[in-house]
């Protein structure tokens, strides 16, 4: 029957006979798509019918009401009546209405589940019908083989039972490789997108059990779960399973991965437990971190490509008499030589070093710790000439050496921690004396670095004693030391005591450091830190609010959490204090570091703010989020900031450019040459402000860090987890705004870019070649700085009388007119010449674009073991097919420390000697800068 109006059917709804009403509703449902506007006038009648429990057609009435509200755009009501329609609502119907209702139903279900999981004391009752639609939709996805879609929706809906059922079914029915893909997908999703830390932990624990229950266990995926969980019991269970299966070489590879991505607390506890259970001594040695640091030190020393010419030019351009410039060069020198164990620049520039005064001397001494970073075997021996009790009489050298010791052992400080804590204990009683305060300042920072992430109770109590004396110099460092020690613990008692003392002290720097300490304690805690975040942000004291912004940064680091981003943007434009606003913008870089491509778009408007502090924060946020990424969009936003009228904005912009373009060349990014040229121009210019020069100097150090063999990456490539040391290094580096010696913390973020193949039988480094399927020269080091030779000196023009000049001008004019006519006739180029010149102008640009877009080469060239491999180069590198050495782990990216099996162990092969191995015989012991008898130690 064809109708132009639904009026006849709507009239039948007033009949008393239920059969007639049911017939009318069925007929209305057939024409509702076209006549919904007319039916909407009777919506109250239809709703009344849907509420009558005795009426047989009430479900059809509910379905019609749902369709009316759907067409009116009232989706919540449409979903409510669709649920009441029960079986009348066909989820399998292919229509826009059904798709919309199902989509909105899933959204409502997820929203309610999220509130139940994230908000304490919240227990929203969910309609069983809504749950049924959610489950039926997931069943539909599974039946259509859309497993990732089903798993993703299940995770968003906090339904671990459904996730487990899908994974168990796929492990039983599908191939092993497909099952592993799904397990890795859930692992990535749980680690990066799940908002509830409790649910994430439950999901990861379930994943770990599922992986170990497989017939062929993928131990590398299991290790990723262990790193993400950071729980000792699961790490022990993993290594016990490896021992049971006799997978010694795999256990070595996983141990190396844990050292590069796990916390110090986990590594120390794990090594202790495995030692009690008589595990392989080689495995325990790997977990100590000594082999890893030794390999990287050897790589950085053997492959160092330090631009000494540039460093000398910078030193000569910045007067060492000024503390700011001396500090800048000291920090840049530390960065350029980081981990190389090469202190030749210091030895060659003793007179310059002697210009250092007070805290500049402290910073210069601490830079030795950066240079020898990771030299765990001889670290204390290297620093001994400057430590308390040595010949040095300067309190700044003593304090700086203790800070340097912490930088040297950062993250692996169990062997040096006792010495540093004893130093604090012995001197705490005389706090207030200026000499002792400087020493305690260095010792507290050193102890925090040595105990970083260990949650050592004794270290916490020792440092707290220093804070209780309420002395500005030592209390400031002790507060930061506590934050580093208790990093990521989420300890409520510790946080409460820090907050209490922050409100009691009158020293602004101690208050700020305590607020930063609270931020570090809540690292990775997400919603568990919300209560403290609100407390800190509501405080009247701007210094406490400053810490609140960084608490958001560290609690939600890498999550991209929308609530966190909104809160930070609100603070950035509304807070009354400039420091807090700057901190909020910087914090955006940490929260969005995994989704770094969105940061330029988010902060672009902030980069044009009238407030210079907001612009400065924008530059840092881009540098942090896009560190090592060479993202053009970020460089586009930064370029105008390098010409900003405010000096500290230009400073931040140049440092951010260096962070983003670290290890880039003009072949990989055409802007690098101009950026580096700008750094040098700023350093050598006499018209630039001191702060801008300091920023350019630091930027040069970052661009050439580690002998051009390190990068900065906030995410571990192999495990997919956040690199805690890198993140903390950047957080603490950003505090150099208040205290320049903290700039050294950036060395924690440096990651060597090497391929180091070690033999599983003895962990020796064989001399072996690898294939690189890239164009040779595409990843070469950039050119060294060269001083322009035979530079012409500008001549001063001789004074000429005006009458003489006018006479000469008249004489030349007639002669010039004749010559111009002749030259025009000669210089008009032919069309052939024009077309030939154009390609010559674009040759360089075309070559550069070719290198940046297509680096692949079908014919590989050979690279040696223990050589530099850039992150963007690693996908082109592979071991020789059917070669003697085979990597234990199959990976698309060949970089880092790789355990290999030797297929011909009986055949001899040349080995590469590490720094630790050669140290007893012919390794050069780094000389101190007090070796000359005539050096005045007091003025050093």
């Amino acid at each position: 029957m064809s109708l132009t109006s639904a009026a006849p059917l709507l009239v039948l709804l007033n009949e008393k006979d239920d059969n007639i009403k049911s017939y009318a509703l069925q007929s209305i449902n057939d024409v509702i798509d076209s006549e919904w506007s007319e039916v909407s006038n009777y919506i109250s009648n239809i709703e009344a019918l849907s509420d009558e429990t005795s009426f047989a057609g009430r479900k059809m009435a509910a379905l019609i009401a749902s369709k009316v509200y759907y067409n009116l755009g009232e989706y919540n009501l449409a979903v409510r009546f669709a649920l009441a329609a029960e079986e009348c609502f066909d989820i399998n119907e292919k229509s826009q209405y059904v798709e919309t209702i199902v989509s909105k139903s899933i959204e409502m279900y997820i929203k309610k589940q999220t509130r139940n999981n994230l908000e304490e004391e919240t227990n929203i009752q969910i309609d069983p019908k809504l749950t049924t639609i959610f489950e039926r939709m997931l069943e539909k996805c599974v039946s259509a083989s859309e497993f990732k879609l089903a798993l993703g929706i299940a995770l968003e809906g906090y339904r671990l039972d459904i996730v487990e059922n899908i994974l168990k079914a796929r492990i039983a029915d599908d191939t092993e490789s497909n099952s592993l893909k799904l397990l890795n997908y859930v692992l990535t999703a749980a680690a990066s997108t799940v908002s509830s830390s409790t649910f994430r932990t439950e999901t990861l624990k379930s994943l770990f059990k599922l992986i170990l229950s497989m017939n062929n266990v993928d131990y590398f995926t299991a290790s990723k779960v262990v790193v993400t969980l950071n729980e000792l019991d699961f790490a022990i269970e993993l290594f016990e399973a490896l021992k049971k299966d006799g997978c010694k070489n795999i256990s070595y590879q996983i141990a190396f991965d844990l050292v590069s991505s796990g916390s110090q607390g986990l590594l120390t506890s794990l090594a202790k437990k495995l030692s009690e259970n008589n595990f392989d001594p080689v495995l325990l040695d790997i977990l100590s971190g000594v082999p890893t640091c030794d390999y990287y030190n050897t790589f950085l020393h053997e492959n160092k490509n330090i631009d000494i010419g540039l460093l000398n030019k910078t030193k000569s351009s910045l007067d060492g008499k000024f503390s700011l410039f001396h500090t800048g060069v000291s920090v840049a020198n530390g960065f350029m030589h980081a981990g190389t164990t090469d202190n030749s620049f210091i030895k060659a520039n003793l007179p310059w070093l002697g210009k250092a005064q007070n805290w500049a001397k402290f910073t210069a001494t601490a830079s030795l710790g950066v240079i020898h970073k990771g030299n765990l075997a001889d670290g204390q021996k290297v620093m001994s000439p400057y430590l308390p009790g040595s010949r040095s009489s300067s309190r700044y050298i003593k304090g700086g050496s203790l800070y340097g010791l912490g930088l040297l052992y950062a993250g692996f400080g169990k062997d040096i921690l006792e010495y540093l804590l004893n130093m604090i204990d012995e001197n705490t009683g005389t706090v207030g004396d200026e000499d002792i305060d400087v020493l305690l300042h260095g010792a507290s920072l050193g102890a925090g670095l040595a105990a970083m992430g260990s949650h050592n109770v004794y270290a916490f109590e020792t440092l707290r004693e220093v804070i209780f004396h309420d002395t500005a110099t030592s209390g400031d460092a002790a507060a930061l030391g506590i934050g580093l020690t208790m990093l990521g613990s989420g300890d409520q008692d510790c946080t409460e005591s820090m907050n209490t003392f922050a409100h009691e002290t009158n020293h602004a720097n101690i208050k700020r450091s305590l607020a930063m300490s609270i931020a570090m304690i809540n690292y990775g805690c997400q919603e568990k830190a919300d209560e403290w975040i609100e407390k800190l942000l509501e405080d009247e004291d701007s210094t406490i609010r400053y810490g609140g912004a960084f608490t958001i940064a560290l609690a939600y680091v890498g999550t991209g959490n929308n609530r966190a981003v909104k809160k930070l943007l609100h603070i950035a434009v509304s807070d009354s204090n400039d420091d807090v606003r700057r901190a909020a913008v910087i914090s955006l870089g940490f929260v969005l570091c995994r989704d770094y491509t969105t940061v330029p778009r988010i902060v672009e408007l902030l980069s044009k703010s009238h407030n210079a502090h907001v612009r400065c924060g924008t530059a840092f946020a881009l540098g942090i989020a896009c560190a090592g990424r060479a993202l053009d969009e970020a460089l586009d936003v930064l370029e105008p900031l390098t010409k900003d009228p405010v000096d500290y904005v230009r400073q931040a912009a140049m440092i951010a450019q260096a962070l983003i373009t670290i290890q880039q060349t003009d072949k990989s990014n055409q802007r690098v040459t101009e950026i580096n040229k700008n750094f040098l121009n700023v350093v050598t210019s006499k018209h630039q402000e001191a702060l801008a020069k300091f920023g350019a100097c630091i930027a040069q150090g970052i661009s050439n860090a580690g002998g051009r063999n390190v990068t900065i990456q906030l995410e571990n490539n192999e495990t997919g987890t956040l690199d805690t040391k890198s993140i903390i290094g950047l957080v603490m580096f950003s505090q150099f705004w208040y205290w320049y010696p903290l700039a050294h913390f950036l060395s924690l973020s440096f990651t060597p870019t090497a391929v180091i193949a070690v033999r599983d039988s003895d962990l020796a480094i064989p001399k072996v070649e690898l294939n690189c399927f890239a164009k040779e020269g595409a990843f070469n080091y950039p050119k060294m700085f060269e001083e322009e030779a035979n530079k012409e000196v500008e001549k001063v023009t001789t004074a000429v009388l005006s009458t003489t000049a006018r006479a000469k001008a008249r004489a030349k004019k007639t002669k010039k007119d004749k010559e111009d006519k002749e030259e025009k006739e000669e210089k008009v180029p032919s069309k052939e010449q024009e077309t030939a010149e154009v390609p010559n102008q674009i040759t360089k640009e075309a070559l550069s674009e070719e290198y940046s877009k297509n680096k692949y080469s079908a014919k590989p060239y050979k690279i040696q073991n223990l050589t530099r491999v850039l992150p963007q180069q690693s996908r082109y590198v592979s071991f020789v097919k059917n070669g003697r050495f085979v990597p234990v782990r199959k990976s698309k990216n060949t970089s880092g420390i790789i355990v290999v099996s030797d297929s011909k162990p009986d055949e001899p092969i040349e080995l590469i000697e590490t720094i630790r191995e050669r140290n007893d015989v012919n390794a050069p012991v780094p000389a101190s800068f007090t070796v000359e008898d005539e050096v005045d130690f007091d003025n050093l």
Side-chain angles (χ1 to χ4, degrees):
M1 181 174 70
S2 177
L3 290 176
T4 55
S5 172
L9 297 173
L10 292 168
V11 171
L12 295 177
L13 297 178
N14 297 322
E15 295 290 330
K16 294 181 179 179
D17 192 336
D18 286 353
N19 291 328
I20 295 174
K21 291 179 186 177
S22 297
Y23 166 76
L25 289 168
Q26 187 65 53
S27 301
I28 290 169
N29 185 49
D30 294 336
V31 297
I32 189 69
D33 291 340
S34 57
E35 307 298 332
W36 64 268
S37 57
E38 191 175 1
V39 176
S40 65
N41 296 322
Y42 291 81
I43 190 65
S44 55
N45 294 359
I46 296 169
E47 282 187 32
L49 289 172
S50 70
D51 291 336
E52 285 184 24
T53 53
S54 59
F55 177 50
R58 60 188 176 81
K59 294 178 183 177
M60 183 56 69
L63 181 64
I64 292 169
S66 174
K67 289 184 177 180
V68 170
Y69 281 120
Y70 160 74
N71 284 290
L72 290 170
E74 296 287 344
Y75 296 121
N76 288 340
L77 287 171
V79 170
R80 183 162 73 85
F81 282 105
L83 295 176
E86 296 181 10
E87 68 272 6
C88 288
F89 175 70
D90 183 10
I91 195 174
N92 295 315
E93 180 187 318
K94 292 184 179 179
S95 67
Q96 190 175 352
Y97 160 72
V98 171
E99 286 180 8
T100 304
I101 295 301
V102 168
S103 175
K104 294 296 177 183
S105 298
I106 291 172
E107 282 180 21
M108 287 174 66
Y109 181 85
I110 290 172
K111 190 175 180 180
K112 290 180 178 181
Q113 280 282 77
T114 302
R115 286 190 63 188
N116 283 340
N117 279 273
L118 291 182
E119 298 177 14
E120 291 183 8
E121 299 178 2
T122 302
N123 189 16
I124 301 171
Q125 295 297 321
I126 300 176
D127 190 336
K129 297 166 187 172
L130 189 64
T131 305
T132 302
I133 286 186
F134 182 82
E135 292 174 351
R136 283 170 63 190
M137 188 61 205
L138 293 184
E139 288 171 8
K140 187 178 177 182
C141 289
V142 171
S143 61
S145 297
E146 295 286 351
F147 302 114
K148 286 187 178 180
L149 179 61
L151 288 167
I153 295 172
L155 284 171
E156 281 193 86
Y158 295 89
R159 290 296 300 273
L160 182 56
D161 57 327
I162 295 177
V163 172
E164 287 177 341
N165 290 337
I166 294 172
L167 291 175
K168 285 177 182 176
R170 300 326 304 155
I171 289 170
D173 302 336
D174 209 339
T175 61
E176 185 180 321
S177 61
N178 288 337
S179 301
L180 281 173
K181 285 177 184 177
L182 291 179
L183 287 165
N184 277 292
Y185 172 78
V186 174
L187 172 59
T188 305
S192 57
T193 61
V194 173
S195 301
S196 168
S197 56
T198 305
F199 179 73
R200 182 175 62 253
T201 302
E202 290 174 2
T203 305
L204 292 172
K205 287 179 179 178
S206 176
L207 268 183
F208 186 79
K209 291 175 183 175
L210 285 171
I211 293 166
L212 291 188
S213 67
M214 296 174 68
N215 292 329
N216 295 314
V217 181
D218 185 350
Y219 289 109
F220 294 112
T221 304
S223 70
K224 292 179 186 179
V225 179
V226 169
V227 173
T228 310
L229 277 172
N230 198 35
E231 289 192 15
L232 176 62
D233 293 339
F234 289 90
I236 293 170
E237 189 177 346
L238 173 62
F239 281 102
E240 284 177 345
L242 284 163
K243 185 179 181 182
K244 185 179 178 182
D245 287 353
C247 303
K248 184 184 287 188
N249 52 4
I250 294 177
S251 69
Y252 292 169
Q253 182 66 70
I254 289 174
F256 278 119
D257 292 345
L258 282 178
V259 167
S260 64
S261 55
S263 68
Q264 184 177 189
L266 176 65
L267 292 172
T268 306
S269 302
L270 179 60
K272 185 179 177 182
K273 286 288 184 183
L274 296 183
S275 177
E276 291 171 1
N277 294 333
N278 298 317
F279 267 75
D280 184 359
V282 177
L283 179 64
L284 301 177
D285 185 43
I286 294 171
L287 290 172
S288 71
V290 173
T292 298
C293 293
D294 185 34
Y295 296 150
Y296 283 139
N297 282 149
T298 305
F299 159 71
L300 292 171
H301 181 78
E302 296 297 323
N303 295 275
K304 60 180 183 284
N305 193 260
I306 301 161
D307 197 340
I308 291 293
L310 180 65
L311 190 56
N312 283 323
K313 178 68 175 176
T314 302
K315 178 183 71 69
S316 61
S317 302
L318 301 177
D319 192 345
K321 292 179 183 177
F322 295 99
S323 179
L324 176 64
F325 292 158
H326 199 289
T327 298
V329 176
S330 294
V331 172
N333 170 50
F335 288 168
M336 285 189 180
H337 292 80
T340 62
T341 68
D342 178 6
N343 62 353
S344 56
F345 178 81
I346 290 176
K347 290 192 293 181
N349 291 278
L350 289 172
W352 167 82
L353 197 69
K355 294 179 181 179
Q357 296 297 322
N358 303 329
W359 288 104
K361 194 179 296 184
F362 177 94
T363 307
T365 311
S367 69
L368 279 171
V370 177
I371 293 169
H372 294 277
K373 175 177 173 272
N375 190 3
L376 306 185
D378 297 300
Q380 197 164 359
K381 184 179 177 182
V382 167
M383 300 301 295
S384 60
Y386 323 107
L387 292 171
S390 65
R391 293 170 59 195
S392 176
S393 59
S394 170
R395 61 176 177 266
Y396 295 102
I397 287 181
K398 291 176 182 177
S401 65
L402 292 171
Y403 176 30
L405 203 60
L407 290 165
L408 196 154
Y409 282 90
F412 304 101
K414 64 180 186 299
D415 296 330
I416 204 69
L417 182 59
E418 187 179 351
Y419 168 79
L420 289 166
L421 295 177
N422 286 339
M423 192 63 63
I424 295 171
D425 276 335
E426 290 169 8
N427 293 279
T428 304
T430 50
V431 169
D433 180 270
E434 192 174 351
D435 285 5
I436 298 300
D437 281 347
V438 174
L439 189 144
L440 284 175
H441 183 88
S444 297
L445 286 174
L449 283 159
M452 187 167 62
S454 65
H455 310 161
N456 188 301
V457 177
Y458 177 58
F460 165 68
E461 290 174 350
T462 304
L463 290 165
R464 187 174 59 179
E465 282 298 314
V466 179
I467 295 176
F468 286 161
H469 284 84
D470 200 21
T471 305
T473 304
S474 56
D476 174 23
L480 292 173
I482 285 177
L484 291 166
T485 302
M486 304 303 289
L487 178 66
S489 66
D491 191 301
Q492 293 298 309
D493 293 336
C494 178
T495 308
E496 186 64 55
S497 64
M498 296 297 99
N499 184 54
T500 302
F501 195 75
H503 287 88
E504 291 175 356
T505 184
N506 293 320
H507 297 291
N509 58 336
I510 294 181
K511 195 173 290 190
R512 187 184 304 107
S513 295
L514 286 165
M516 288 301 300
S517 176
I518 292 172
M520 287 188 274
I521 291 167
N522 286 286
Y523 173 85
C525 290
Q526 295 190 25
E527 78 281 356
K528 291 178 182 177
D530 284 349
E531 185 180 344
W532 279 109
I533 288 170
E534 293 303 322
K535 275 186 185 179
L536 296 173
L537 292 178
E538 290 170 2
D539 202 284
E540 292 179 0
D541 194 323
S542 60
T543 312
I544 304 294
R545 296 201 303 277
Y546 177 89
F550 274 103
T551 306
I552 297 175
L554 291 182
Y556 288 96
V557 62
T559 62
N561 185 279
N562 282 332
R563 287 189 301 113
V565 171
K566 286 179 182 177
K567 193 168 287 187
L568 288 170
L569 287 171
H570 176 70
I571 297 167
V573 297
S574 65
D575 199 277
S576 58
N577 184 270
D578 285 337
D579 285 350
V580 179
R581 295 176 72 175
R582 186 182 69 254
V585 184
I586 292 172
S587 297
L588 284 169
F590 290 104
V591 175
L592 295 167
C593 66
R594 269 191 167 126
D595 198 14
Y596 63 93
T597 53
T598 63
V599 179
R601 179 171 48 82
I602 290 172
V603 302
E604 187 174 7
L605 286 176
L606 294 175
S607 71
K608 299 171 184 175
S609 169
H610 69 281
N611 189 306
H613 287 264
V614 172
R615 299 199 300 276
C616 175
T618 300
F620 271 120
L622 287 167
I624 289 161
C626 306
R629 307 282 191 178
L631 188 69
D632 281 328
E633 290 83 352
L635 295 173
D636 289 338
V637 178
L638 286 171
E639 192 170 352
L641 295 178
T642 60
K643 302 177 180 69
D644 197 275
V646 181
D647 53 0
Y648 58 80
V649 176
R650 297 200 301 279
Q651 178 195 79
M654 287 184 284
I655 290 172
Q657 283 182 327
L659 289 170
I660 293 169
T661 59
I662 188 171
Q663 280 205 325
Q664 297 294 319
T665 66
D666 53 351
K667 289 179 181 177
S668 57
N669 193 303
Q670 297 176 33
R671 300 186 182 194
V672 172
T673 304
E674 282 303 313
I675 288 170
N676 289 330
K677 188 178 178 182
N678 181 51
F679 295 161
L680 186 61
N681 289 340
V682 172
V683 166
T684 55
S685 172
K686 294 180 181 179
H687 307 292
Q688 288 282 352
E689 294 95 328
L691 282 179
K693 287 189 171 189
F694 177 82
C697 180
I698 298 296
Q700 286 180 333
I702 295 169
S703 295
N704 296 276
R708 302 183 177 187
N709 289 314
V710 299
T711 188
I712 297 173
Q713 50 188 27
L714 302 189
E715 196 171 5
N716 190 289
N717 287 334
E718 287 302 334
T719 59
T721 55
L722 292 171
D723 191 326
T724 304
K725 282 173 69 175
S726 291
I727 290 163
I728 295 305
L730 281 164
V731 167
M732 294 297 291
F733 171 72
S734 68
Q735 305 308 304
F736 81 82
W737 176 279
Y738 302 102
W739 190 230
Y740 288 128
L742 296 179
H744 282 316
F745 267 87
L746 187 63
S747 62
L748 271 64
S749 304
F750 294 155
T751 303
T753 51
V755 57
I756 306 173
V758 297
R759 196 163 54 182
D760 58 0
S761 57
D762 55 2
L763 300 187
I765 305 174
K767 280 195 175 181
V768 60
E769 291 184 334
L770 290 82
N771 286 329
C772 182
F773 289 87
K775 292 177 180 176
E776 196 164 359
F779 300 103
N780 282 358
Y781 290 103
K783 290 181 181 178
M784 293 278 195
F785 167 76
E786 292 179 3
E787 189 82 53
E788 291 182 23
N790 302 321
K791 192 174 181 181
E792 291 184 9
V793 181
E794 188 178 348
K795 294 181 180 179
V796 180
T797 53
T798 309
V800 179
L801 293 174
S802 58
T803 53
T804 309
R806 283 197 294 271
K808 286 183 178 179
R810 281 194 298 271
K812 285 181 180 179
K813 189 175 180 183
T814 54
K815 187 178 179 182
K816 188 179 179 184
D817 288 342
K818 292 178 182 179
E819 288 176 353
D820 285 348
K821 286 181 181 179
E822 292 173 3
E823 284 178 10
K824 280 182 182 179
E825 291 174 2
E826 290 174 4
K827 290 187 177 181
V828 173
S830 63
K831 289 185 179 180
E832 290 86 353
Q833 287 177 319
E834 284 184 352
T835 52
E837 286 175 6
V838 173
N840 291 332
Q841 295 170 5
I842 62 169
T843 302
K844 288 185 179 179
E845 293 179 10
L847 282 171
S848 181
E849 283 181 18
E850 185 187 353
Y851 268 114
S852 59
K853 287 181 181 178
N854 182 23
K855 299 184 181 73
Y856 177 76
S857 172
K859 186 179 179 181
Y861 67 92
K862 300 294 182 182
I863 62 171
Q864 297 295 322
N865 190 13
L866 198 77
T867 193
R868 185 179 84 145
V869 171
L870 302 183
Q872 60 268 33
Q873 182 185 2
S874 62
R875 63 178 180 270
Y876 300 108
V877 177
S878 63
F879 283 83
V880 177
K881 194 175 182 181
N882 300 322
R884 175 172 172 176
F885 293 97
V886 181
V888 169
R889 172 176 52 205
K890 294 178 182 177
S891 176
K892 292 179 181 178
N893 297 320
T894 305
S895 62
I897 297 173
I898 304 167
V899 177
V900 294
S901 297
D902 189 351
S903 59
K904 300 173 183 177
D906 297 330
E907 291 185 13
I909 190 167
E910 192 176 352
L911 302 176
I912 299 172
E913 195 177 30
T914 68
I915 284 180
R916 187 168 55 139
E917 288 170 348
R918 75 171 79 116
N919 210 24
D920 296 333
V921 184
N922 56 3
V925 177
S928 65
F929 46 70
T930 57
V931 291
E932 296 185 8
D933 295 334
E934 64 270 25
V935 175
D936 184 355
F937 291 98
D938 292 329
N939 295 322
L940 190 59

